[in-house]
Structures are given as C-alpha cells and as structure tokens.
Amino acid sequence: MSFFFDFIRNVFLTMLQLIWFSRRKVTNSLSIFVKTNTGSTIAVDLDPKWDIKNVKQLIASEMGISPEDIKIIFAGKELHNSTIIEECDLGQQSILHAIRTPPQRLNKSKDTSTIEESSELSESNESGGKPMNETLTDLPFDESDTQENSSMEEQQENRAHFFVFCSAPCKAVTVGKLRVKCATCNSGAVTVDRDPQCWPDVLHPKRITVHCENDFCPAPTSISNDTECQVLYARFYFKCAKHVSLGEKDEAVPLYLIKPNLRKIPCLACTDVRDMVLVFPCEAGHVTCLDCFRDYCSVRLRERQFQFDETKGYYTLPCPAGCPDSFIPEVHHFHLLTPEQYEQYQRFSTEEYVLRAGGLLCPRPDCGMGIIPSSPDDGTNDECRRIQCIGGCGYVFCRRCLQGFHVGECELPPSESSNAVHKSGYSVDPQRAKDAKWDEASKKTIQISTKPCPKCRTPTERDGGCMHMVCTRAGCGYHWCWVCQTQWTRDCMGNHWFG
C-alpha cells in the first residue's frame, strides 16, 4: 500500500516541477532549438543556470516520453544531467539534439564530461605532446597545470580560441566555434568515437568515425573480415562566435595559421611577444604577430609581389624568411587586410590566373575583364585573333596588338623609353609618367567613347541611329557593324540592326 502512495506522490511532485519550470519567468534566457532524431524541432527558452536534467524535463512532454529516456547531444558529445547550460557556452539560436534512448541501451550509456563549444586544438599534440582529454573545450594557455589557484575570471581571460573568417553577416575575422556533423547525412546528432588530436583530424575527411543518431541516415556499409558493418565519419566545421546562430548551415572558414602564442615566441619582424600570432607553414614554423603580417601583406600587395603557387593554383605569399615550400595555403588569411586591400588582392589574383591560363585582359580603360579565348591563334585566320569582351564592356579587339579589331597586319605601337628620368634628385617612374600627361584624360575619353574602323582604324564615334556604320574617311568608306566591329552582313542586320 505504501508503494502505491509513494508512486502517486512522485507523480504529483513531477507534475508540479514541470508546471513550475513552464511558468517560471526566465531572465536573460537563451532561445534554443531542440531537434529530435525523428525530424521535429522544438523551440524553448532556457535559463543559463539550469542543468541538462531540467532541459530533459522541459521537452519530455513535447516528445511524449519520460525524461529518463532522453539524451542530449551537443558538439559531438552526450551531455550529462548535471551539466549547467551556461558552462556549455551556448549562443542564441543554437541547436541541441534530443535523442530517444532505446531501452536496451539505457544501461550502456556512459557519462561524458561537460562539453563546451570549441576554441582551440591542443598545440602539444602536433609535436607529440600529451593528448587532449576533451576536444571541443576552450584550452587554457598553460597546458601543464589546471590553474587551481587562479580565479574563474582569470581562467576565462586566458582561454585560447579558434579564429575564422565570417563571410556573413560579420564579414570579418572573428573568434570561432568547432562543430561536428555526420559526413553522410549532415545531421548534428552524432557522438564522436574519439577526440581530434591535431589540425588534420579536423581539416581532412575520414579521420574520425562517429555514431549517428539520425533515424533517416543512409549509413554506408563496408566489408571487414567477411562481415558487413556500418562506417560513418565525422565532418568538422566552424561557426562564428560573434553573431546569433543561423542554423546548421551557418559555417565559417577556419584560419588555422592564427594561433595563441602558448610558447611565447617573439615576432619574426618586430621581436615583440604577442598573445596571438600567425605561424607560417614552413619547416621552421616562423612566427609573426598579426600587425606585422598585415604590414608584410600590404607592402607586397602594393608592389604586386604576391606569388602564384603552381601546385595549388593560389595567389599567395611565402614565409618572409625565404623558406622553401612555405606558401600560405588558405587565402582567407588575407582577410586580415582591409576590405579595399582584399578586393585589390582578388583582382590581382584573377588577372594572374587568366594570364597563366593563356588568356588576356581587356585593354579598354576602366575595364580589364579577364578573357580566355576559345581557340588558339594559328596566325592565318583573322577570326582567331578577334576577341570580344563578353561580360564586360563588349569591346572587340585584336589579340595580337590589343588595339581595336582590324583587318590586315597589326601596326607597331610607337616605342617608349624604358629608362627612368633622373634630374636633380627627382626620379620619375615611366609607368606613372604615362598617366601624368596633360592630354591623357582626353585620350582616355576618346578610347572609351569611340571604336576604330576595322579597315583604316580611324576613331569613330556613334551619336545615335542604327549599328550600321560607314567610315567617312576619304578613300575608305568601309561598311561595318558597331557591335561586331567586323564587316556589315545580313546577320548583323537581322540580329542587332538597332541594338
């Protein structure tokens, strides 16, 4: 009889607790999405002071099961009932995964330590140091002790972090978080079989296996010792920590060369010891502070001395110490430059790629569109050297002399002296001198607003009317198309007589 009364009392207390949690006014709440393995999503507001057991009780009624039959997964780990929510470093609109635990697995589920959002991989693992106990956790700068005598505030300030480039909405280099998915179904309801111990574990595929809790995961099978077994791999990715989560598709680019200066190494250039440094991918691992790296990139960009990595196809920079095989492989590190400088870097990179691919740049002022001809110039056919700037200004020019398209042989441009003029200590750059002429602006206007007659090359300006042009130069009278810049034909009349 007492057993019956105890059962009624426990049910009554549980109901009161659920009512209290549902009606409790939450201050400084977190708006969280809880996804179940059946595909449904539950939106809840959580108090950061609650623990995971409270979360289970809150969503149990929504899932229609007992709180004891639920396990919560976050960032590749199952969270223990005693884990406090604020210790998980959850952000607004973050996603937790609630999994209904099968009865046969209740006794097999193991407790896992509290998992926070990731901030830095262990530096010591790359050099054979001690392995990481918890992967997705912020690591203290001092890896040799637990800082038992330090205050919680001091430990929080001495955390190491990932750095990422957030393309939207931040559009800047920010602190990042490490996340994990199933590489097969892209579900975040996974538990990793082991923690990553180095950057290759995170950046390269098929390094770490996972157990996926998604009921709809099309798990592949592999045959081992004449038995079929399911093999699922982890796909690690990064999120920006500065803005509200935009869902599971919210990803950022990891800037893995930027690291906390755990070893207190001085900068290669200024010799200062900074908290955050960039480590070049050379054998020596030369270190530079971020300010000096920006200066290094700015000078090389201004002098157009970035180099093209033939093996990777990147327009990048090597270690300033001249080390071999030291090109920066992830070009998003150059987002440390200003947006204007990065835009210039992209333009130079595109131009370099086009030229190396056998292409050329549109010679018309203020255009510079990269063009890769569809056929090579065999030297016998005029059509092979006729190039049109498609997608740009539409200019049609000769691929040999880069002048407006013409019939017949190319005319050699007037030779210009390549020697700089020095007079009374005043040096003149020949390239800049070309643009510093009094009538240069007028010439530029003529180049933009006129097109040359394909036969006699007389600059012609169109002031309205149709596209059928007739050269007015005495002795020429060539009929040509303003669009095609070739001889006027019936095709021109039918396709673009009036534009």
Side-chain angles (χ1 to χ4, degrees):
M1 194 70 175
S2 61
F3 172 78
F4 177 75
F5 284 112
D6 289 339
F7 175 76
I8 295 297
R9 182 173 60 86
N10 291 334
V11 171
F12 179 72
L13 291 176
T14 301
M15 292 179 62
L16 286 179
Q17 193 175 28
L18 289 175
I19 294 173
W20 181 77
F21 273 116
S22 62
R23 294 185 178 181
R24 179 182 175 187
K25 184 178 180 181
V26 179
T27 59
N28 192 26
S29 66
L30 286 173
S31 296
I32 301 297
F33 293 105
V34 180
K35 298 189 70 173
T36 69
N37 57 330
T38 59
S40 61
T41 301
I42 305 170
V44 294
D45 290 332
L46 305 180
D47 189 325
K49 300 298 183 182
W50 291 355
D51 56 25
I52 295 300
K53 183 177 181 181
N54 299 145
V55 178
K56 292 180 179 180
Q57 292 172 342
L58 188 63
I59 65 175
S61 59
E62 296 284 347
M63 297 181 66
I65 57 177
S66 171
E68 290 76 17
D69 294 336
I70 300 174
K71 68 177 180 179
I72 302 295
I73 294 177
F74 177 64
K77 294 288 184 177
E78 179 183 351
L79 301 185
H80 191 268
N81 283 346
S82 61
T83 300
I84 305 300
I85 293 173
E86 64 181 358
E87 294 178 357
C88 298
D89 195 23
L90 284 169
Q92 295 287 352
Q93 311 299 320
S94 292
I95 297 176
L96 295 176
H97 293 271
I99 307 301
R100 180 170 184 166
T101 306
Q104 64 271 21
R105 294 183 55 193
L106 283 175
N107 296 329
K108 296 182 180 180
S109 62
K110 59 181 180 179
D111 294 341
T112 57
S113 56
T114 301
I115 302 301
E116 299 177 23
E117 293 193 354
S118 66
S119 282
E120 172 61 305
L121 290 173
S122 173
E123 298 286 337
S124 63
N125 287 318
E126 298 181 16
S127 57
K130 63 181 182 179
M132 293 178 57
N133 295 324
E134 295 179 359
T135 303
L136 309 182
T137 308
D138 287 343
L139 300 180
F141 281 117
D142 187 358
E143 300 179 26
S144 60
D145 60 62
T146 58
Q147 299 183 354
E148 294 180 356
N149 298 325
S150 301
S151 65
M152 182 64 69
E153 291 77 10
E154 291 175 341
Q155 292 185 35
Q156 202 65 29
E157 290 178 357
N158 290 332
R159 295 292 190 180
H161 296 285
F162 289 119
F163 281 86
V164 298
F165 172 70
C166 176
S167 58
C170 299
K171 299 181 180 179
V173 176
T174 68
V175 176
K177 308 172 183 178
L178 181 61
R179 291 289 179 267
V180 62
K181 294 180 180 179
C182 172
T184 301
C185 67
N186 282 328
S187 171
V190 297
T191 52
V192 294
D193 292 332
R194 72 170 178 87
D195 293 336
Q197 298 179 357
C198 57
W199 272 107
D201 282 348
V202 173
L203 298 177
H204 299 162
K206 296 185 177 181
R207 299 271 298 195
I208 295 179
T209 56
V210 297
H211 175 72
C212 183
E213 303 281 1
N214 181 16
D215 293 343
F216 307 103
C217 179
T221 58
S222 64
I223 299 178
S224 178
N225 298 328
D226 297 329
T227 60
E228 288 190 357
C229 60
Q230 294 182 345
V231 180
L232 295 172
Y233 291 96
R235 184 179 81 82
F236 292 95
Y237 66 102
F238 292 81
K239 302 181 73 171
C240 173
K242 292 297 184 182
H243 67 261
V244 175
S245 175
L246 304 178
E248 291 186 314
K249 294 183 179 180
D250 181 18
E251 299 190 17
V253 181
L255 305 182
Y256 49 87
L257 297 183
I258 302 177
K259 303 180 181 181
N261 195 1
L262 304 177
R263 305 172 189 177
K264 306 299 181 184
I265 301 176
C267 171
L268 180 68
C270 69
T271 70
D272 287 347
V273 178
R274 304 290 185 89
D275 289 340
M276 292 296 163
V277 294
L278 185 139
V279 182
F280 284 92
C282 55
E283 185 176 356
H286 286 117
V287 170
T288 181
C289 68
L290 301 187
D291 289 337
C292 289
F293 178 73
R294 292 187 186 95
D295 293 340
Y296 171 54
C297 295
S298 298
V299 171
R300 291 294 183 268
L301 184 66
R302 186 166 58 249
E303 298 174 352
R304 197 153 183 169
Q305 291 186 356
F306 273 62
Q307 300 180 33
F308 199 82
D309 185 357
E310 298 286 354
T311 58
K312 300 292 182 63
Y314 296 143
Y315 194 55
T316 182
L317 283 176
C319 173
C323 300
D325 302 324
S326 61
F327 284 124
I328 294 176
E330 178 51 72
V331 298
H332 285 87
H333 285 88
F334 299 124
H335 275 289
L336 288 169
L337 296 167
T338 65
E340 295 76 18
Q341 288 175 319
Y342 189 78
E343 183 180 352
Q344 187 181 38
Y345 158 77
Q346 286 185 307
R347 185 171 68 254
F348 289 170
S349 175
T350 302
E351 293 175 358
E352 185 72 19
Y353 177 83
V354 170
L355 294 175
R356 287 178 176 271
L360 61 165
L361 306 178
C362 176
R364 201 168 197 187
D366 298 332
C367 183
M369 171 69 72
I371 305 168
I372 299 180
S374 58
S375 59
D377 182 11
D378 57 8
T380 60
N381 189 351
D382 285 345
E383 280 300 313
C384 292
R385 60 185 177 88
R386 177 183 177 274
I387 303 296
Q388 183 174 8
C389 181
I390 299 176
C393 65
Y395 187 55
V396 182
F397 59 95
C398 173
R399 74 190 300 174
R400 298 176 191 170
C401 65
L402 301 182
Q403 303 298 315
F405 182 73
H406 57 85
V407 294
E409 297 296 325
C410 300
E411 293 181 355
L412 295 177
S415 61
E416 298 184 9
S417 175
S418 60
N419 298 323
V421 178
H422 298 275
K423 184 177 182 180
S424 302
Y426 182 78
S427 61
V428 178
D429 186 340
Q431 187 64 34
R432 294 179 181 175
K434 291 172 59 179
D435 300 329
K437 298 176 182 178
W438 185 259
D439 60 348
E440 188 63 29
S442 298
K443 289 184 178 179
K444 183 176 180 180
T445 302
I446 293 174
Q447 282 183 291
I448 295 176
S449 60
T450 67
K451 292 183 180 181
C453 169
K455 184 177 182 180
C456 68
R457 303 178 189 175
T458 300
T460 305
E461 184 176 7
R462 177 175 169 269
D463 58 359
C466 67
M467 301 299 166
H468 183 186
M469 309 299 294
V470 180
C471 183
T472 58
R473 182 178 179 179
C476 182
Y478 190 67
H479 292 251
W480 56 286
C481 175
W482 178 264
V483 176
C484 303
Q485 286 179 238
T486 56
Q487 185 176 12
W488 181 261
T489 63
R490 288 188 175 273
D491 289 337
C492 298
M493 181 183 298
N495 294 332
H496 42 247
W497 193 0
F498 291 101

